[in-house]
Amino acid sequence: MAHDREVLRMIWEGQIGICFQADSDEIVGIKPEPFYLMVSRLSYLPLVTDKVRKYFTRYIAAEHQEGAVWFDFNGTPLRLHYPIGVLYDLLHPDEDSTPWCLTIHFSKFPEDALVKLNTKELLESHFLSCLKEADVLKHRGLVISAMQKKDHNQLWLGLINEKFDQFWAVNRRLMEPYSDQESFKNIPVRFYNDDDFTYMQKLISPLSESGQKKNLSDLMAELSTPVRKAVGFRTHGIDLHEETQLQWVSEHLSYPDNFLHLSVDYKSL
Amino acid sequence: MRRYLIYKIKHNYRDFQNIPKSTMTDTEDTQSAATTTSITSTAPTDKDAAKICVLLNATGNVPIIKKRTWTVDPNKTVSWIQKFIHKYLKLDSNEQIFLYVNQTFAPAPDQIIKNLYDCHGTNGKLVLYYCKNQAWG
């Protein structure tokens, strides 16, 4: 049960200031001023950039105006189906360089580097698939499959309209252990390393073999190999304390897709 | 039904000409084989890496791939497998292949097979369902 509602609220309210700039090769005539926007860390670029797109469209050559929009940071194309906070934390711009400067592109979509999940409809079905996968890991899929279509809609609408109460009224059920259990079956988690966008996923139980609740230092030991040691986890821009219980972390610090997205710091041995 | 078959054969023939030879060789090898065969791309790199056993199941009105068990390089992505099935079944370019894990969720196209196997593999296999229409949303 998610007791620490203030924590959920703080995570929900996390924002990033972004400065959008045009791709100078696509501009016709006068170079437009940058466009500034505060966006939710939990959202996705295609969900929050309607205004940005609209603003730049009139400066773009006509043949590109209807193109598939994508973004880059310092030349790195940004995955449109990763939560914005995950992208930001992976690329960890220097603290003092806020806002985060991104370039918006209307042409030359890098099909080999980016999955074209660029519309709200495609993102919605990706988001629901993530929820389903997470529920398979947590509750063998029993909670999400018992939900109705309207509950799924409510989760999605809560996310895109940034309505905490609407989202959590349904998400609460996904974030509780199943019936008489004290914890999830497994923790839905993706581990990222440095600014590489690939992640590792494996079965992580919230309990140790002796049935004790694991904390993050147990998880570090689990991820360590003879050649490198996991020494820290970060998510939502927060360094996590190693004594925090893994089950609590999953219930409170998961993204709306119900996965924990943890950046792992390793030390070579 | 017969008209449909003739239509298919014509289309298959047309697609056959468009498919790179290396991949066709792959598929030809596997038509009759009952044993596990590798899905290899043009250049089979690091053969020593532990391959993952994948069980492919057709669902809905999609043509059936006779050989159901394949081994796949763990770092291949979901979209790579989708493309493989697409080519193998010689589908038209406007047709799409949807993949599902254990009849539950559609993995992201850039998800790698290793992650799926480690979380959702059963009895040493990753069970995937493929179809031409969305099946499990």
Side-chain angles (χ1 to χ4, degrees), chain A residues 79 81-82 113 115 117 125-126 128-130 132-133 136-137 190 198-203, chain B residues 96 100 102 104-112 114-116 118-121 134 136-137:
Chain A
R79 299 196 181 201
H81 62 303
Y82 281 24
V115 179
L117 290 167
S125 86
H126 166 74
L128 287 174
S129 280
C130 288
K132 282 180 190 164
E133 178 175 7
V136 167
L137 294 166
R190 293 178 173 169
T198 57
Y199 54 80
M200 188 243 308
Q201 225 182 292
K202 57 194 239 173
L203 285 184
Chain B
Q96 223 183 326
Y100 294 87
N102 295 336
T104 48
F105 67 94
D110 56 352
Q111 174 67 292
I112 58 167
K114 182 177 194 311
N115 285 342
L116 291 178
D118 285 349
C119 288
H120 307 286
Q134 281 198 12
W136 293 278

Side-chain angles (χ1 to χ4, degrees), chain B residues 75-93:
Chain B
N75 289 314
K76 290 291 185 211
T77 60
V78 166
S79 74
W80 189 86
I81 295 206
Q82 284 168 320
K83 280 181 199 143
F84 176 83
I85 296 174
H86 199 280
K87 268 187 194 165
Y88 189 97
L89 296 177
K90 304 173 185 104
L91 299 181
D92 281 348
S93 57

Side-chain angles (χ1 to χ4, degrees), chain B residues 13-50:
Chain B
Y13 178 67
R14 197 193 63 204
D15 285 354
F16 176 82
Q17 294 174 313
N18 296 336
I19 291 170
K21 214 165 184 167
S22 53
T23 327
M24 275 311 296
T25 325
D26 266 346
T27 51
E28 272 171 359
D29 284 350
T30 55
Q31 288 295 346
S32 54
T35 49
T36 306
T37 317
S38 298
I39 306 181
T40 16
S41 53
T42 41
T45 48
D46 58 300
K47 269 188 173 167
D48 300 321

Side-chain angles (χ1 to χ4, degrees), chain A residues 38-57:
Chain A
M38 289 297 287
V39 302
S40 164
R41 275 183 158 267
L42 306 187
S43 197
Y44 298 83
L45 283 166
L47 301 183
V48 295
T49 48
D50 281 350
K51 279 184 202 161
V52 185
R53 186 195 165 105
K54 210 174 158 197
Y55 168 74
F56 285 110
T57 300

